Amino acid sequence: MIKAAILVAIIIAGLIFGPEVSGSKGYVLVAMGDYTIETSVSKAIIIGVLFYLLLLGIEWLLHKTLGISRQSYNWLRGRNVRKARKNTYAGMLALAEGDYKNAERLTANSATHSDTPLLNYLAAAEAAQEQGDNAKRDTYLKQAQENSDNSFAIGLTQAKFHLRQGQYEEAHAALSLLHNKQPKHQQVLKLLSETYQQLDEWQKLLDLLPSLRKAGLLAHDDADQLELTTYAGIFKQLAKQEGSHGLQVYWNKMSRKLKAEPSLIAAIGEQLITLDDHDAAKIILLNGIKKSAPNSILAVINQLKLPDYQDLINSLESGRKKFPASAALESAYAQCQLKAGNIEQAIKAYQAAIELTPNADDYYQLGLLLEQQGVISEAQQCFKRGLALSQA
Protein backbone atom coordinates (compact mmCIF):
# COMPACT_ATOMS: atom_id res chain seq x y z
CA MET A 1 0.00 0.00 0.00
CA ILE A 2 2.83 2.39 0.92
CA LYS A 3 4.75 1.48 -2.22
CA ALA A 4 1.75 2.23 -4.39
CA ALA A 5 1.29 5.60 -2.66
CA ILE A 6 4.93 6.49 -3.33
CA LEU A 7 4.57 5.57 -6.99
CA VAL A 8 1.41 7.71 -7.34
CA ALA A 9 3.19 10.60 -5.64
CA ILE A 10 6.10 10.34 -8.10
CA ILE A 11 3.74 10.34 -11.08
CA ILE A 12 1.83 13.38 -9.74
CA ALA A 13 5.09 15.17 -9.10
CA GLY A 14 6.16 14.42 -12.67
CA LEU A 15 2.89 15.83 -14.04
CA ILE A 16 3.28 19.01 -11.98
CA PHE A 17 6.95 19.73 -12.42
CA GLY A 18 7.47 18.08 -15.82
CA PRO A 19 6.32 21.06 -17.90
CA GLU A 20 8.49 23.39 -15.85
CA VAL A 21 11.68 21.44 -16.18
CA SER A 22 11.10 20.63 -19.84
CA GLY A 23 12.40 24.05 -20.79
CA SER A 24 15.49 23.55 -18.68
CA LYS A 25 16.45 19.96 -19.13
CA GLY A 26 19.41 20.14 -16.77
CA TYR A 27 22.37 17.81 -16.78
CA VAL A 28 23.13 14.55 -14.92
CA LEU A 29 26.61 12.95 -14.90
CA VAL A 30 27.25 9.57 -13.33
CA ALA A 31 30.89 8.46 -13.13
CA MET A 32 31.91 4.89 -12.23
CA GLY A 33 35.67 4.35 -12.54
CA ASP A 34 36.56 4.79 -16.21
CA TYR A 35 32.92 4.86 -17.23
CA THR A 36 30.65 7.92 -17.34
CA ILE A 37 26.96 8.27 -18.09
CA GLU A 38 25.49 11.60 -19.20
CA THR A 39 21.78 12.31 -19.50
CA SER A 40 19.21 14.97 -18.86
CA VAL A 41 17.37 15.30 -15.59
CA SER A 42 14.03 14.28 -17.07
CA LYS A 43 15.48 11.11 -18.57
CA ALA A 44 17.18 10.24 -15.27
CA ILE A 45 13.85 10.62 -13.46
CA ILE A 46 12.11 8.39 -16.01
CA ILE A 47 14.89 5.78 -15.77
CA GLY A 48 14.68 5.88 -11.96
CA VAL A 49 10.91 5.32 -12.03
CA LEU A 50 11.27 2.46 -14.52
CA PHE A 51 14.01 0.89 -12.38
CA TYR A 52 11.81 1.17 -9.31
CA LEU A 53 8.94 -0.47 -11.19
CA LEU A 54 11.31 -3.27 -12.22
CA LEU A 55 12.28 -3.84 -8.58
CA LEU A 56 8.59 -4.01 -7.62
CA GLY A 57 8.01 -6.61 -10.33
CA ILE A 58 10.94 -8.71 -9.18
CA GLU A 59 9.73 -8.50 -5.57
CA TRP A 60 6.24 -9.60 -6.60
CA LEU A 61 7.64 -12.51 -8.58
CA LEU A 62 9.84 -13.65 -5.68
CA HIS A 63 6.96 -13.33 -3.25
CA LYS A 64 4.76 -15.50 -5.42
CA THR A 65 7.49 -18.10 -5.98
CA LEU A 66 8.44 -18.31 -2.31
CA GLY A 67 4.80 -18.33 -1.32
CA ILE A 68 4.17 -21.37 -3.48
CA SER A 69 7.26 -23.10 -1.99
CA ARG A 70 6.15 -22.32 1.55
CA GLN A 71 2.67 -23.61 0.83
CA SER A 72 4.16 -26.78 -0.61
CA TYR A 73 6.37 -27.22 2.45
CA ASN A 74 3.46 -26.63 4.83
CA TRP A 75 1.30 -29.05 2.86
CA LEU A 76 3.96 -31.77 2.95
CA ARG A 77 4.60 -31.20 6.64
CA GLY A 78 0.88 -31.30 7.40
CA ARG A 79 0.58 -34.51 5.44
CA ASN A 80 3.35 -36.12 7.50
CA VAL A 81 1.72 -34.97 10.73
CA ARG A 82 -1.69 -36.29 9.66
CA LYS A 83 -0.15 -39.61 8.67
CA ALA A 84 1.71 -39.79 11.99
CA ARG A 85 -1.52 -39.16 13.91
CA LYS A 86 -3.29 -41.89 11.95
CA ASN A 87 -0.48 -44.40 12.51
CA THR A 88 -0.18 -43.49 16.19
CA TYR A 89 -3.90 -44.12 16.68
CA ALA A 90 -3.65 -47.43 14.82
CA GLY A 91 -0.58 -48.38 16.87
CA MET A 92 -2.33 -47.66 20.16
CA LEU A 93 -5.27 -49.82 19.08
CA ALA A 94 -2.90 -52.61 18.09
CA LEU A 95 -1.22 -52.37 21.49
CA ALA A 96 -4.58 -52.61 23.26
CA GLU A 97 -5.51 -55.63 21.13
CA GLY A 98 -2.23 -57.41 21.84
CA ASP A 99 -0.85 -57.06 18.30
CA TYR A 100 2.53 -56.02 19.65
CA LYS A 101 4.53 -56.36 16.44
CA ASN A 102 2.36 -53.90 14.51
CA ALA A 103 1.98 -51.71 17.58
CA GLU A 104 5.75 -51.32 17.80
CA ARG A 105 6.15 -50.61 14.08
CA LEU A 106 3.36 -48.04 13.87
CA THR A 107 4.15 -46.09 17.02
CA ALA A 108 7.93 -46.07 16.52
CA ASN A 109 7.89 -45.11 12.83
CA SER A 110 5.43 -42.25 13.37
CA ALA A 111 7.20 -40.81 16.42
CA THR A 112 9.30 -38.32 14.40
CA HIS A 113 6.27 -36.43 13.04
CA SER A 114 3.93 -37.16 15.95
CA ASP A 115 2.41 -34.46 18.14
CA THR A 116 3.26 -36.66 21.13
CA PRO A 117 6.60 -38.38 20.50
CA LEU A 118 6.93 -39.30 24.19
CA LEU A 119 3.73 -41.38 24.08
CA ASN A 120 4.84 -42.98 20.81
CA TYR A 121 8.18 -44.12 22.22
CA LEU A 122 6.63 -45.33 25.48
CA ALA A 123 4.04 -47.34 23.55
CA ALA A 124 6.76 -48.77 21.31
CA ALA A 125 8.79 -49.69 24.40
CA GLU A 126 5.82 -51.50 25.90
CA ALA A 127 5.23 -53.39 22.65
CA ALA A 128 8.90 -54.41 22.53
CA GLN A 129 8.70 -55.48 26.19
CA GLU A 130 5.74 -57.71 25.45
CA GLN A 131 7.72 -59.34 22.65
CA GLY A 132 10.63 -60.00 25.00
CA ASP A 133 12.99 -57.64 23.17
CA ASN A 134 14.64 -55.80 26.04
CA ALA A 135 17.28 -54.18 23.83
CA LYS A 136 14.67 -52.43 21.68
CA ARG A 137 12.66 -51.58 24.77
CA ASP A 138 15.62 -49.77 26.30
CA THR A 139 16.37 -48.02 22.98
CA TYR A 140 12.83 -46.65 22.81
CA LEU A 141 13.03 -45.49 26.41
CA LYS A 142 16.28 -43.68 25.61
CA GLN A 143 14.62 -42.01 22.60
CA ALA A 144 11.69 -41.03 24.80
CA GLN A 145 14.15 -39.42 27.22
CA GLU A 146 15.79 -37.50 24.36
CA ASN A 147 12.45 -36.23 23.05
CA SER A 148 10.95 -35.19 26.37
CA ASP A 149 11.94 -33.67 29.69
CA ASN A 150 9.29 -35.74 31.50
CA SER A 151 11.74 -38.09 33.21
CA PHE A 152 9.14 -39.03 35.84
CA ALA A 153 6.76 -40.69 33.36
CA ILE A 154 9.64 -42.48 31.68
CA GLY A 155 11.03 -43.71 35.01
CA LEU A 156 7.60 -44.95 36.07
CA THR A 157 7.17 -46.85 32.83
CA GLN A 158 10.61 -48.39 33.21
CA ALA A 159 9.79 -49.47 36.77
CA LYS A 160 6.63 -51.20 35.54
CA PHE A 161 8.64 -53.08 32.93
CA HIS A 162 11.10 -54.28 35.59
CA LEU A 163 8.25 -55.50 37.78
CA ARG A 164 6.67 -57.45 34.93
CA GLN A 165 9.94 -59.25 34.31
CA GLY A 166 10.55 -59.96 37.96
CA GLN A 167 13.51 -57.55 38.10
CA TYR A 168 12.58 -56.37 41.57
CA GLU A 169 15.94 -54.87 42.54
CA GLU A 170 15.92 -52.68 39.42
CA ALA A 171 12.30 -51.74 40.03
CA HIS A 172 13.13 -50.84 43.63
CA ALA A 173 15.97 -48.55 42.51
CA ALA A 174 13.78 -46.74 39.95
CA LEU A 175 10.79 -46.40 42.28
CA SER A 176 12.91 -45.09 45.14
CA LEU A 177 14.06 -42.18 42.96
CA LEU A 178 10.49 -41.46 41.89
CA HIS A 179 9.25 -41.67 45.48
CA ASN A 180 11.84 -39.10 46.55
CA LYS A 181 10.55 -36.73 43.85
CA GLN A 182 6.83 -37.28 44.50
CA PRO A 183 6.22 -39.01 47.86
CA LYS A 184 2.43 -38.92 47.47
CA HIS A 185 2.19 -40.23 43.90
CA GLN A 186 -0.36 -43.04 44.08
CA GLN A 187 1.02 -45.23 41.30
CA VAL A 188 4.50 -45.05 42.80
CA LEU A 189 3.16 -45.99 46.23
CA LYS A 190 1.24 -48.93 44.81
CA LEU A 191 4.23 -50.25 42.86
CA LEU A 192 6.55 -49.75 45.82
CA SER A 193 4.19 -51.81 47.99
CA GLU A 194 4.31 -54.66 45.47
CA THR A 195 8.10 -54.40 45.17
CA TYR A 196 8.66 -54.48 48.94
CA GLN A 197 6.55 -57.61 49.25
CA GLN A 198 8.49 -59.35 46.49
CA LEU A 199 11.83 -58.40 48.08
CA ASP A 200 10.69 -59.24 51.64
CA GLU A 201 11.40 -55.63 52.64
CA TRP A 202 8.86 -55.89 55.43
CA GLN A 203 10.04 -52.99 57.58
CA LYS A 204 10.01 -50.64 54.58
CA LEU A 205 6.52 -51.85 53.73
CA LEU A 206 5.42 -51.21 57.31
CA ASP A 207 6.80 -47.66 57.06
CA LEU A 208 4.98 -47.17 53.75
CA LEU A 209 1.64 -48.45 55.05
CA PRO A 210 0.42 -45.11 56.53
CA SER A 211 0.93 -43.46 53.12
CA LEU A 212 -1.01 -46.28 51.44
CA ARG A 213 -3.86 -45.81 53.89
CA LYS A 214 -3.87 -42.02 53.52
CA ALA A 215 -3.85 -42.25 49.72
CA GLY A 216 -6.87 -44.56 49.86
CA LEU A 217 -5.11 -47.22 47.80
CA LEU A 218 -6.31 -49.98 50.12
CA ALA A 219 -9.67 -50.70 51.65
CA HIS A 220 -9.62 -50.65 55.46
CA ASP A 221 -9.78 -54.44 55.78
CA ASP A 222 -7.14 -54.94 53.08
CA ALA A 223 -4.81 -52.48 54.80
CA ASP A 224 -5.27 -54.30 58.12
CA GLN A 225 -4.56 -57.65 56.50
CA LEU A 226 -1.45 -56.25 54.78
CA GLU A 227 -0.24 -54.96 58.14
CA LEU A 228 -0.61 -58.41 59.69
CA THR A 229 1.18 -60.00 56.74
CA THR A 230 3.96 -57.45 57.13
CA TYR A 231 4.46 -58.23 60.81
CA ALA A 232 4.50 -61.95 60.05
CA GLY A 233 7.26 -61.27 57.53
CA ILE A 234 9.20 -59.26 60.11
CA PHE A 235 8.91 -62.17 62.57
CA LYS A 236 10.40 -64.51 60.01
CA GLN A 237 13.32 -62.19 59.30
CA LEU A 238 14.00 -61.60 62.98
CA ALA A 239 13.97 -65.34 63.64
CA LYS A 240 16.74 -65.78 61.07
CA GLN A 241 18.77 -62.72 62.05
CA GLU A 242 18.38 -62.43 65.83
CA GLY A 243 16.98 -65.75 66.98
CA SER A 244 14.44 -66.39 69.72
CA HIS A 245 15.63 -63.62 72.03
CA GLY A 246 15.45 -60.89 69.37
CA LEU A 247 12.04 -62.12 68.28
CA GLN A 248 10.65 -62.00 71.83
CA VAL A 249 12.12 -58.53 72.46
CA TYR A 250 10.36 -57.24 69.33
CA TRP A 251 7.10 -58.93 70.36
CA ASN A 252 7.16 -57.38 73.83
CA LYS A 253 7.52 -53.90 72.32
CA MET A 254 4.43 -54.28 70.15
CA SER A 255 1.09 -52.77 71.14
CA ARG A 256 -1.49 -54.77 73.08
CA LYS A 257 -3.85 -54.54 70.17
CA LEU A 258 -1.40 -56.20 67.81
CA LYS A 259 -0.38 -58.82 70.38
CA ALA A 260 -4.04 -59.82 70.64
CA GLU A 261 -4.29 -60.60 66.90
CA PRO A 262 -4.69 -64.38 66.47
CA SER A 263 -2.77 -64.45 63.17
CA LEU A 264 0.23 -62.69 64.76
CA ILE A 265 0.13 -64.96 67.81
CA ALA A 266 0.15 -67.96 65.49
CA ALA A 267 2.92 -66.44 63.35
CA ILE A 268 5.31 -65.78 66.23
CA GLY A 269 4.45 -69.17 67.74
CA GLU A 270 5.44 -70.88 64.49
CA GLN A 271 8.75 -68.99 64.34
CA LEU A 272 9.60 -69.86 67.94
CA ILE A 273 8.82 -73.51 67.27
CA THR A 274 11.04 -73.36 64.18
CA LEU A 275 13.81 -72.07 66.47
CA ASP A 276 13.06 -75.02 68.81
CA ASP A 277 11.99 -72.69 71.62
CA HIS A 278 8.77 -74.55 72.43
CA ASP A 279 8.53 -73.19 75.97
CA ALA A 280 8.51 -69.56 74.81
CA ALA A 281 6.00 -70.46 72.11
CA LYS A 282 3.77 -72.19 74.68
CA ILE A 283 3.59 -69.07 76.87
CA ILE A 284 2.56 -66.80 73.99
CA LEU A 285 0.10 -69.35 72.57
CA LEU A 286 -1.58 -70.01 75.91
CA ASN A 287 -1.97 -66.27 76.48
CA GLY A 288 -3.59 -66.14 73.06
CA ILE A 289 -6.39 -68.55 73.95
CA LYS A 290 -7.44 -66.95 77.22
CA LYS A 291 -10.28 -64.99 75.64
CA SER A 292 -10.99 -67.12 72.56
CA ALA A 293 -9.73 -70.21 70.78
CA PRO A 294 -9.07 -69.28 67.12
CA ASN A 295 -8.28 -72.16 64.78
CA SER A 296 -5.03 -70.48 63.67
CA ILE A 297 -3.62 -70.58 67.23
CA LEU A 298 -4.93 -74.10 67.90
CA ALA A 299 -3.18 -75.35 64.74
CA VAL A 300 0.16 -74.07 66.07
CA ILE A 301 -0.50 -75.49 69.55
CA ASN A 302 -0.68 -78.91 67.91
CA GLN A 303 2.96 -78.47 66.82
CA LEU A 304 4.30 -78.00 70.36
CA LYS A 305 6.67 -80.60 71.80
CA LEU A 306 6.88 -80.29 75.59
CA PRO A 307 8.21 -82.39 78.46
CA ASP A 308 4.97 -81.75 80.34
CA TYR A 309 1.62 -81.03 78.69
CA GLN A 310 -0.42 -80.48 81.83
CA ASP A 311 -0.48 -76.66 81.59
CA LEU A 312 -1.60 -76.95 78.00
CA ILE A 313 -4.29 -79.51 78.88
CA ASN A 314 -5.57 -77.31 81.71
CA SER A 315 -5.84 -74.29 79.40
CA LEU A 316 -7.66 -76.26 76.74
CA GLU A 317 -10.04 -77.78 79.32
CA SER A 318 -10.82 -74.26 80.51
CA GLY A 319 -11.45 -73.22 76.92
CA ARG A 320 -13.82 -76.13 76.36
CA LYS A 321 -15.91 -74.82 79.21
CA LYS A 322 -15.79 -71.10 78.34
CA PHE A 323 -16.00 -71.06 74.55
CA PRO A 324 -18.59 -72.40 72.10
CA ALA A 325 -18.13 -76.02 71.06
CA SER A 326 -15.42 -76.28 68.43
CA ALA A 327 -14.09 -79.26 66.50
CA ALA A 328 -10.66 -77.58 66.29
CA LEU A 329 -10.57 -77.09 70.06
CA GLU A 330 -11.60 -80.72 70.70
CA SER A 331 -9.00 -81.96 68.21
CA ALA A 332 -6.22 -79.89 69.84
CA TYR A 333 -7.27 -81.15 73.25
CA ALA A 334 -7.23 -84.74 71.95
CA GLN A 335 -3.69 -84.31 70.59
CA CYS A 336 -2.44 -82.91 73.90
CA GLN A 337 -4.01 -85.80 75.81
CA LEU A 338 -2.44 -88.24 73.36
CA LYS A 339 1.02 -86.69 73.79
CA ALA A 340 0.55 -86.86 77.54
CA GLY A 341 -0.25 -90.57 77.23
CA ASN A 342 -3.94 -90.26 78.16
CA ILE A 343 -5.40 -92.52 75.46
CA GLU A 344 -8.98 -92.73 76.75
CA GLN A 345 -9.33 -88.96 77.04
CA ALA A 346 -7.83 -88.56 73.58
CA ILE A 347 -10.35 -91.02 72.08
CA LYS A 348 -13.28 -89.18 73.66
CA ALA A 349 -11.99 -85.80 72.46
CA TYR A 350 -11.52 -87.08 68.89
CA GLN A 351 -15.03 -88.50 68.92
CA ALA A 352 -16.38 -85.14 70.13
CA ALA A 353 -14.49 -83.34 67.37
CA ILE A 354 -15.84 -85.68 64.68
CA GLU A 355 -19.36 -85.28 66.00
CA LEU A 356 -19.07 -81.51 65.63
CA THR A 357 -17.30 -81.46 62.25
CA PRO A 358 -16.17 -84.70 60.55
CA ASN A 359 -12.52 -84.43 59.53
CA ALA A 360 -10.30 -86.93 57.68
CA ASP A 361 -7.30 -86.40 59.98
CA ASP A 362 -9.38 -86.82 63.12
CA TYR A 363 -10.92 -90.02 61.73
CA TYR A 364 -7.45 -91.33 60.99
CA GLN A 365 -6.06 -90.52 64.44
CA LEU A 366 -9.13 -92.00 66.12
CA GLY A 367 -8.81 -95.14 63.98
CA LEU A 368 -5.19 -95.59 65.08
CA LEU A 369 -6.13 -95.24 68.76
CA LEU A 370 -9.04 -97.66 68.46
CA GLU A 371 -6.80 -100.11 66.66
CA GLN A 372 -4.31 -99.88 69.54
CA GLN A 373 -7.15 -100.60 71.93
CA GLY A 374 -8.13 -103.69 69.94
CA VAL A 375 -11.43 -102.26 68.66
CA ILE A 376 -10.68 -103.33 65.10
CA SER A 377 -14.12 -103.04 63.49
CA GLU A 378 -14.64 -99.47 64.72
CA ALA A 379 -11.09 -98.56 63.71
CA GLN A 380 -11.73 -99.82 60.18
CA GLN A 381 -14.93 -97.78 60.00
CA CYS A 382 -12.94 -94.68 60.97
CA PHE A 383 -10.34 -95.35 58.30
CA LYS A 384 -13.05 -95.81 55.64
CA ARG A 385 -14.88 -92.64 56.60
CA GLY A 386 -11.67 -90.65 56.76
CA LEU A 387 -10.64 -91.92 53.31
CA ALA A 388 -14.05 -91.01 51.88
CA LEU A 389 -13.72 -87.47 53.25
CA SER A 390 -10.20 -87.05 51.89
CA GLN A 391 -11.37 -88.09 48.40
CA ALA A 392 -14.51 -85.98 48.42
Side-chain angles (χ1 to χ4, degrees):
M1 192 70 182
I2 295 175
K3 295 176 182 178
I6 293 173
L7 181 61
V8 171
I10 292 173
I11 294 172
I12 293 173
L15 292 173
I16 294 174
F17 297 105
E20 295 184 9
V21 299
S22 62
S24 177
K25 296 182 179 181
Y27 179 74
V28 175
L29 176 63
V30 178
M32 297 177 64
D34 296 334
Y35 298 96
T36 59
I37 299 175
E38 297 180 10
T39 186
S40 64
V41 173
S42 58
K43 286 183 179 180
I45 292 173
I46 292 171
I47 292 171
V49 171
L50 291 175
F51 182 72
Y52 180 71
L53 291 174
L54 178 62
L55 290 177
L56 289 178
I58 293 172
E59 181 188 20
W60 177 84
L61 183 62
L62 290 173
H63 177 75
K64 286 295 183 180
T65 303
L66 293 175
I68 292 172
S69 299
R70 189 179 296 108
Q71 288 176 0
S72 299
Y73 171 77
N74 290 336
W75 182 83
L76 288 172
R77 184 176 180 278
R79 181 175 178 275
N80 288 334
V81 171
R82 289 190 296 272
K83 185 178 179 181
R85 287 174 183 166
K86 181 180 178 182
N87 287 342
T88 298
Y89 178 75
M92 293 298 183
L93 283 180
L95 184 63
E97 293 171 357
D99 186 1
Y100 301 117
K101 185 176 181 179
N102 279 327
E104 179 191 351
R105 177 180 60 82
L106 290 167
T107 54
N109 292 344
S110 58
T112 304
H113 299 288
S114 174
D115 298 324
T116 55
L118 173 61
L119 296 181
N120 281 68
Y121 285 123
L122 291 181
E126 183 173 355
Q129 161 88 11
E130 292 296 336
Q131 295 176 85
D133 195 335
N134 293 346
K136 277 191 175 182
R137 176 200 69 186
D138 294 339
T139 298
Y140 292 135
L141 288 174
K142 183 179 179 181
Q143 289 176 314
Q145 187 75 57
E146 292 170 353
N147 284 272
S148 173
D149 57 356
N150 194 336
S151 59
F152 190 90
I154 298 169
L156 187 58
T157 302
Q158 197 165 24
K160 290 178 181 178
F161 291 159
H162 287 316
L163 277 175
R164 287 183 194 175
Q165 286 201 308
Q167 299 171 326
Y168 301 116
E169 292 289 351
E170 292 84 349
H172 177 259
L175 290 169
S176 295
L177 292 174
L178 298 175
H179 188 236
N180 289 335
K181 292 180 180 179
Q182 295 191 32
K184 297 181 181 180
H185 194 280
Q186 293 191 358
Q187 189 69 8
V188 173
L189 292 173
K190 184 177 180 180
L191 294 177
L192 261 182
S193 172
E194 181 181 343
T195 304
Y196 287 155
Q197 291 178 66
Q198 294 294 339
L199 292 174
D200 292 339
E201 292 282 1
W202 301 111
Q203 187 56 53
K204 289 183 179 180
L205 180 57
L206 189 63
D207 296 337
L208 188 70
L209 196 56
S211 297
L212 294 172
R213 290 182 186 271
K214 189 173 182 180
L217 295 173
L218 295 171
H220 181 73
D221 291 344
D222 293 337
D224 288 345
Q225 183 57 51
L226 180 59
E227 182 179 26
L228 298 177
T229 301
T230 301
Y231 275 113
I234 291 174
F235 294 163
K236 190 173 183 179
Q237 285 182 337
L238 284 173
K240 291 181 179 179
Q241 297 168 4
E242 302 182 23
S244 176
H245 177 71
L247 188 55
Q248 292 180 70
V249 169
Y250 188 88
W251 174 260
N252 291 331
K253 290 181 180 179
M254 292 176 64
S255 67
R256 289 185 178 180
K257 180 181 178 182
L258 288 172
K259 289 195 289 186
E261 285 289 340
S263 65
L264 294 186
I265 295 169
I268 192 172
E270 284 185 336
Q271 294 306 319
L272 289 169
I273 290 172
T274 300
L275 294 169
D276 205 27
D277 194 346
H278 292 259
D279 290 331
K282 182 190 77 171
I283 293 171
I284 293 175
L285 292 169
L286 290 186
N287 285 333
I289 59 171
K290 286 183 177 179
K291 294 183 179 180
S292 63
N295 291 0
S296 57
I297 298 178
L298 294 172
V300 181
I301 285 176
N302 293 337
Q303 301 174 33
L304 288 172
K305 296 178 181 178
L306 304 167
D308 185 357
Y309 288 90
Q310 194 56 50
D311 289 342
L312 199 54
I313 291 172
N314 293 339
S315 295
L316 292 174
E317 282 182 346
S318 176
R320 294 171 78 200
K321 295 174 183 177
K322 290 192 301 182
F323 308 134
S326 162
L329 180 56
E330 293 293 337
S331 180
Y333 179 70
Q335 290 192 46
C336 286
Q337 291 285 13
L338 178 59
K339 291 175 183 178
N342 303 321
I343 305 300
E344 291 295 332
Q345 291 87 338
I347 290 174
K348 291 179 181 178
Y350 274 127
Q351 289 172 337
I354 290 170
E355 187 176 344
L356 289 167
T357 306
N359 178 279
D361 290 336
D362 288 342
Y363 266 124
Y364 179 74
Q365 295 297 333
L366 178 58
L368 289 177
L369 293 177
L370 291 173
E371 192 175 48
Q372 291 177 17
Q373 297 297 310
V375 189
I376 304 302
S377 59
E378 291 186 19
Q380 289 177 345
Q381 288 295 321
C382 287
F383 291 142
K384 288 181 182 179
R385 290 170 184 172
L387 181 61
L389 283 174
S390 66
Q391 293 178 343

